[in-house]
Amino acid sequence: MTAAPSPEPGRDCPLCPRLHGFIAGWREREPGWFNAPVPTFLPPEGEDSVKLLIVGLAPGLRGANRTGRPFTGDYAGDLLYGTMIAHGLARGEFKARPDDGLQLVGTAITNAVRCVPPENKPVGAEIATCRTFLKPTIARFANLRAILTLGSIAHQSTVRALGERVAAIPFRHGGRQEAGGAALFSSYHCSRYNTNTGVLTEEMFVNVFKEIAAFLKT
């Protein structure tokens, strides 16, 4: 009997040589950083309480790769966690460090690619390889009702992890589609680049969460 696939890669996961080497270099430069595959952020009540899973692209170099918690340490977290707190999906105060006491409420946060990629750009093979962790991550939440994908790469990898065809469930900001028995919501990524260039406004992002929060109350 084979063991079920793990939802979390090991600290020294070697499956993507380019990412493994990149992290190794940063371990030498910044030994105090996390510098490892970033684990899924869970609510204190445990995985059975999770009704919403948020899937980002990958850890930021000086964000989650440094701190070890998704969307912690860079601008994207300011917008994401502030919006989540406002909609009852997180509680406490976000201070951009993993010991700030922030807690998720009925929500988990993960990334399509768990290791920081050079220039924030994972290649196709790395995205596909890390899907071996995304699939069991989705499966671990028995009461999951909704998934929010941030950006087209996270969206496409999530669609594939759910066993669906990307062409049948295309990415679009503000989208809501059914996939794998869950409601699949999608948004442009809450990166500083997207907000600075006007691709994503705070109002656009908040509106996505309004829809998700309303759906979860039904």
Side-chain angles (χ1 to χ4, degrees):
M1 184 176 178
T2 58
S6 172
E8 300 293 344
R11 179 170 176 81
D12 295 308
C13 178
L15 296 180
C16 298
R18 186 181 76 115
L19 304 188
H20 184 67
F22 187 61
I23 285 178
W26 278 97
R27 284 181 180 178
E28 292 182 3
R29 294 176 62 175
E30 297 287 351
W33 288 10
F34 186 75
N35 284 322
V38 175
T40 302
F41 185 17
L42 299 171
E45 292 80 13
E47 58 190 33
D48 285 349
S49 73
V50 173
K51 295 182 179 180
L52 170 66
L53 174 65
I54 298 174
V55 183
L57 171 57
L61 178 61
R62 291 174 173 79
N65 179 67
R66 175 175 61 84
T67 64
R69 191 177 75 180
F71 293 92
T72 300
D74 53 22
Y75 170 78
D78 294 342
L79 180 54
L80 175 63
Y81 288 118
T83 305
M84 291 180 68
I85 291 169
H87 290 85
L89 298 170
R91 57 178 173 253
E93 187 177 355
F94 176 65
K95 297 181 180 178
R97 62 175 195 268
D99 62 349
D100 56 14
L102 179 81
Q103 295 181 338
L104 302 182
V105 178
T107 305
I109 303 176
T110 195
N111 280 307
V113 176
R114 302 296 181 89
C115 293
V116 57
E119 299 179 352
N120 293 321
K121 294 179 181 177
V123 300
E126 293 159 353
I127 298 165
T129 296
C130 215
R131 203 173 301 126
T132 61
F133 301 107
L134 182 58
K135 285 182 180 179
T137 294
I138 295 171
R140 72 190 290 190
F141 303 120
N143 298 308
L144 188 67
R145 295 189 60 208
I147 300 173
L148 169 62
T149 57
L150 300 177
S152 61
I153 292 176
H155 178 84
Q156 292 171 7
S157 192
T158 299
V159 168
R160 291 188 172 103
L162 292 168
E164 305 281 1
R165 292 173 52 249
V166 169
I169 307 176
F171 171 82
R172 67 177 188 274
H173 176 79
R176 174 183 165 184
Q177 304 169 82
E178 296 300 315
L184 184 61
F185 295 84
S186 49
S187 170
Y188 291 129
H189 195 284
C190 50
S191 66
R192 184 181 291 276
Y193 177 82
N194 280 348
T195 55
N196 281 352
T197 58
V199 169
L200 178 70
T201 65
E202 184 173 344
E203 181 181 13
M204 290 167 62
F205 197 61
V206 167
N207 285 340
V208 171
F209 275 88
K210 283 182 179 177
E211 186 175 353
I212 292 171
F215 169 79
L216 292 175
K217 290 177 181 177
T218 60

